[in-house]
Amino acid sequence: MHYYPEKIEKKWQQYWANNKTFRAKDPKELANANSPSSGGGQGEAKPPFYVLDMFPYPSGAGLHVGHPLGYIASDIYARYKRLKGFNVLHPMGYDSFGLPAEQYAIQTGTHPAITTVANINTFRRQMDNIGFSFDWDREVRTSDPSYYKWTQWIFLQLFDACYCKNADKAIPISQLVEEFKTNGNKDVNAHCDETPLFSADEWNSWDEAKQQTILLNYRIAYLSEAYVNWCPALGTVLANDEVKDGVSERGGHPVERKLMKQWSMRISAYSQRLLDGLEGIDWSESLKEQQRNWIGRSEGASITFKVMEGASDVRNQMSENGNLNSDVSNLMSEIEVFTTRPDTIFGVSFMTLAPEHELVSQITTPEQKAEIEAYIAKAKARSDRERMADVKTISGAFTGAYAAHPFTGNPIPIWIGDYVLAGYGTGAVMAVPSGDQRDFNFAKHFNLPIPQVIEAPANSLPLGEGQGGAGVYESKDGTLINSDFLNGMKVKDAIKAAIAKLEEMGIGEGKINYRQRDAVFGRQRYWGEPIPIYYKDGVPYPVKEEHLPLTLPEIDEYLPTETGEPPLARAKGWGYDPERGAVSNSPSATVGAGSNSLPFGEGQGGAGEAVYPLELSTMPGWAGSSWYYLRYMDPNNDQEFCSKEAIDYWGSVNYYAGGAEHATGHLLYVRFWTKFLKDLGYLPFDEPAKKLVNQGMIQGRSNFLYRDKKSGKFVSHGLKDGFDVTAIHVDVNIVDNEVLDIEKFRNSREEYKNAEFILEDDKYICGWEVEKMSKSKYNVVNPDDIIERYGADTLRLYEMFLGPLEDAKPWNTNGIEGVSRFLKKFWNMFHAGDTFSVSEEEPTKKELKALHATIKKVQEDIERLSFNTSVSQFMICVNELNDLKCNKRAILEPLTVVISTYAPHIAEEIWSLLGHSESISFAEYPAFNESYLVEDSVSYPISFNGKTRLNLELPASMGKEEVEKVVLANAEVQERLEGAAPKKVIVVPGRIVNIVV
RNA sequence: GCGGAUGUGGUGAAAUUGGUAGACACGCCAGACUUAGGAUCUGGUGCCGUGAGGUGUGUGGGUUCGAGUCCCUCCAUCCGCACCA
């Protein structure tokens, strides 16, 4: 009987679905597991194991062969863990809010929910084709109100919390309010925006609006006026990780800085914990490094420089502003800088402020005003992109003002320059040209002094400008000179001494700075979770928990309004009544929590009803994905985001798989929310995943034809150098092992109908190149096509056989025949002609050895995620057993269990033919028995000076001395020695003999 | 510039602790069977050489009886960050 994958695969996929074979058991069920009806054959005392894939955004393009790579590996791992006796949680869902469905809605008017469902159905069908062992009863969709109810709920927790630096965790905002009531904010050590000091009396005297405004400075989810990345083409703001090289990551549209009132997340409060947490988790080093980079911790000092009196008309400007007291004016005439090298403070010869620095206009002298303003205008006109692309051009301008050196009191000229970034540190630097390349370049360009303060160790070369002249020395290896009380100290000690002195003088302190900024959370888009906030007198208030979910209202068009408000502003009469919940007069809208949609007046707050406007921006794509792994544990809970019982039982994810492109986005946010939920006592762990695996990117592999420019004929690859040719892409699906299917090519397009070819060996050989997988390059391969031709088991095996999981590799269908043949051979071992037949005979030693070597190897391979080598081992085993003509149940049955992790359909079919009535998933991974691998004799390679010359078969039990004796007595060895005595003989028992002559 | 990763046949790759480099496949070559085959089976296949043999894991050096594996140097490719003070 032939192996027909198309027949058996559909059948087993149906069986798994009908029998819910891969349903993970809830802790409740396990508690009652002693009852005999626990069903499914699952044992009772199984430990939990959580295998998670990053859920996909259901795009219209469907899955391509890159997606399943990671899913297949996880599936093998999950199936293996089931066989090893674990209660495995292996769920799948959809990150179903997002821009593409909305862009499509804008173009066509189709509701994004409709597009999304259609795409999900395609994804589901494609995934089902591959035979994944997902527990589909736990599917989540982030765009489903029953799911985003809890995303909104978590948002409210974030809104209702602040970060206490003393406790080093998030605490409820109510605790902060208590403190304000009794002591004001003088003792508060929270992560917050700059907030003036106030007393308890002041706090208590303020009205609610004022109090709420102050609280926004502390909330972890907060509204503030800040510069954001505004993308006009997408009509929304973007988070830093969504902007690459000055353009949007999705779509590549230009992004500009814009001052806007925006929802943000105070993730920067967690910078240090996000950094520290990396130590304890098993994630790839490159990924951890990316996160460290992104967080960008640097240790140093903040130092305050006083702007010198008389050098500017600071005070005059102050008094024009009226209400500023002397404290503030004092504060305003100081410049705070951050430096990682406080030891080089005596090398400061000027200061540089970012052009956007708030002090610039105040300190600039009248004489320099024109120059400074011209420079600022020029800097503003340059986009971020230009500025980044052009880092070599040095530019700046002198403000005319001077600061006093904190130790010497000497005047230091204050410059502005766009090499100083407004967004990092304080937007001001103390420039030490002898210790920093950028300061050095600036000093050179503007002819500023370059005092030397570090003496390099004798053995290191002078850098920069050569002997005698001024140079740059950035290394921390050296001794301080020309630096008063720091002279003679090593850099490391000098840093400490400088900080101590600054602190003693009250003009500076040791400080740690992070590059990571707070994450912008609002999006001016439709297809996302509505932010559950309403406004009373312009002040944000949380929607009551009982009114969640705050569902998306229906709107007529998915575009911003004429006045530039987000699409949600189009929802007629959409507003919030703290008694009834959200209301709307849109007939099809579902209105929150038990209330029906009500007829309503003209626009928000109309018809005289006390209805408050709701927040119009929605949450970003990463909101739903920041906690979905928790929802899978308890997906249908309508009382909580997830029960404590489920969280305690499953714990954090054991194995999390996904692309490395999420390093600074999703994977930081999910860690942030996990830590936050831990702080509030909802979780017993503070990292989402103990182990994380990045599957390598699957690149495209394009094929090319070469058209002769003169004749228009297509020249085969090997002959093309004799012609003047143009390379053109050809669909990889009509090329097999670089040989073009000429018939298919001619029929592919009208213009190729009469194409002529210059062949080599009667074949047209195509060229190839690795490129991005994309439609325009005709190199996209759809898993459905592979499955149709070879079957899902072949696809699964082949994707693994391609190479190490974590390596980037081009997709190349060449070679798939090999695994396809393997499966046929495996199938045929159980068949004699047309009948299924296995023998009940006792296995031989050789057969047992082949089996147990495979049991061992595959187990080790899966544990260390070396999925490609298991496939080789299966082939080796089947080849050996074939040579031995083995069809014994005692060998083939356990082998089928081992193979079932990779090729589950064929394994199920054989398992049932072997007489089992239950799924092979409920089998046990066969026990490995070392004794079957022990050989009686060893074939020793005998090498001379490390070069193997012959092999000798010797008993495995033979000792070192005896082996040496026997080897030296051997005739061929003697012949090679030509009578000379060897200098040395090395015998490694069981491995090798090396004779040194 | 900084950081991370990777370099092994015509191709994908293996070699987990330093112990016969190239397992397992693809492709290619030769043969068998067949009316035929993009089917199946057998044998061969790193490179140079008819051969004995030589040579060979990006480059150059080192440690070792022995190095793809450990150490140093340089080169190339990919990824991330990038005027981060």
Side-chain angles (χ1 to χ4, degrees), chain A residues 734-979:
Chain A
I734 62 167
V735 176
D736 189 20
N737 270 309
E738 325 316 345
V739 178
L740 177 72
D741 186 323
I742 291 175
E743 262 326 289
K744 283 186 188 160
F745 177 71
R746 283 193 169 130
N747 294 330
S748 69
R749 265 206 248 171
E750 193 54 37
E751 58 173 303
Y752 297 144
K753 198 144 196 177
N754 299 310
E756 290 185 69
F757 298 88
I758 298 175
L759 307 177
E760 48 184 320
D761 301 332
D762 293 330
K763 286 180 230 161
Y764 189 95
I765 309 294
C766 301
W768 62 273
E769 224 174 274
V770 173
E771 298 183 292
K772 240 186 97 170
M773 196 176 274
S774 94
K775 266 187 193 163
S776 67
K777 300 190 184 338
Y778 300 101
N779 59 10
V780 176
V781 180
N782 186 326
D784 297 340
D785 297 341
I786 305 271
I787 291 170
E788 199 189 319
R789 185 157 166 200
Y790 296 102
D793 285 333
T794 297
L795 175 76
R796 291 171 61 106
L797 281 166
Y798 185 62
E799 291 232 10
M800 294 299 99
F801 192 57
L802 228 39
L805 178 62
E806 309 209 6
D807 286 7
K809 50 201 162 256
W811 176 266
N812 183 355
T813 311
N814 298 351
I816 197 167
E817 300 284 350
V819 293
S820 175
R821 266 175 221 146
F822 156 72
L823 283 177
K824 280 179 206 157
K825 275 192 220 168
F826 177 63
W827 176 263
N828 289 337
M829 289 173 77
F830 296 86
H831 291 87
D834 276 350
T835 51
F836 182 86
S837 138
V838 288
S839 134
E840 303 296 331
E841 272 175 79
E842 284 299 307
T844 65
K845 189 148 200 264
K846 276 186 177 169
E847 290 163 346
L848 283 166
K849 191 187 171 192
L851 171 67
H852 281 262
T854 302
I855 292 171
K856 178 172 194 258
K857 175 93 170 100
V858 173
Q859 172 168 328
E860 286 170 358
D861 284 348
I862 295 177
E863 298 279 4
R864 72 190 166 107
L865 314 182
S866 173
F867 298 101
N868 53 328
T869 48
S870 293
V871 183
S872 303
Q873 184 61 37
F874 292 144
M875 291 174 172
I876 291 167
C877 183
V878 165
N879 287 347
E880 281 178 14
L881 293 176
N882 249 328
D883 289 346
L884 295 167
K885 309 236 179 319
C886 171
N887 72 335
K888 295 171 186 165
R889 175 188 289 272
I891 298 296
L892 297 186
E893 196 168 81
L895 180 62
T896 304
V897 176
V898 176
I899 287 180
S900 74
T901 51
Y902 283 71
H905 308 87
I906 193 173
E908 287 279 20
E909 181 70 14
I910 287 170
W911 190 247
S912 86
L913 289 171
L914 282 167
H916 298 275
S917 56
E918 215 175 36
S919 165
I920 197 167
S921 298
F922 302 125
E924 260 180 57
Y925 192 86
F928 166 63
N929 187 339
E930 179 80 50
S931 65
Y932 293 125
L933 298 192
V934 177
E935 284 285 357
D936 298 339
S937 65
V938 181
S939 173
Y940 277 94
I942 313 298
S943 57
F944 290 76
N945 291 335
K947 283 174 186 164
T948 308
R949 294 296 144 172
L950 64 145
N951 280 281
L952 283 181
E953 192 81 14
L954 299 172
S957 56
M958 193 179 263
K960 215 170 164 175
E961 288 76 20
E962 210 172 337
V963 168
E964 182 172 338
K965 226 176 359 182
V966 173
V967 167
L968 289 178
N970 178 275
E972 199 177 339
V973 172
Q974 278 303 322
E975 196 177 313
R976 283 177 185 276
L977 283 170
E978 291 171 338

Side-chain angles (χ1 to χ4, degrees), chain A residues 552-619:
Chain A
L552 270 173
E554 295 300 317
I555 56 174
D556 53 352
E557 264 194 293
Y558 303 97
L559 287 168
T561 65
E562 287 73 20
T563 54
E565 284 193 290
L568 287 190
R570 293 178 177 272
K572 295 273 177 341
W574 195 51
Y576 184 69
D577 176 343
E579 298 307 312
R580 291 179 296 159
V583 293
S584 165
N585 65 353
S586 165
S588 56
T590 321
V591 174
S595 143
N596 290 317
S597 55
L598 297 168
F600 201 76
E602 295 301 300
Q604 300 195 342
E609 292 194 56
V611 172
Y612 298 107
L614 281 157
E615 169 64 44
L616 298 176
S617 51
T618 52
M619 298 189 198

Side-chain angles (χ1 to χ4, degrees), chain A residues 466-480:
Chain A
Q467 278 90 344
V472 201
Y473 184 73
E474 291 184 311
S475 163
K476 284 190 175 178
D477 198 7
T479 310
L480 274 286

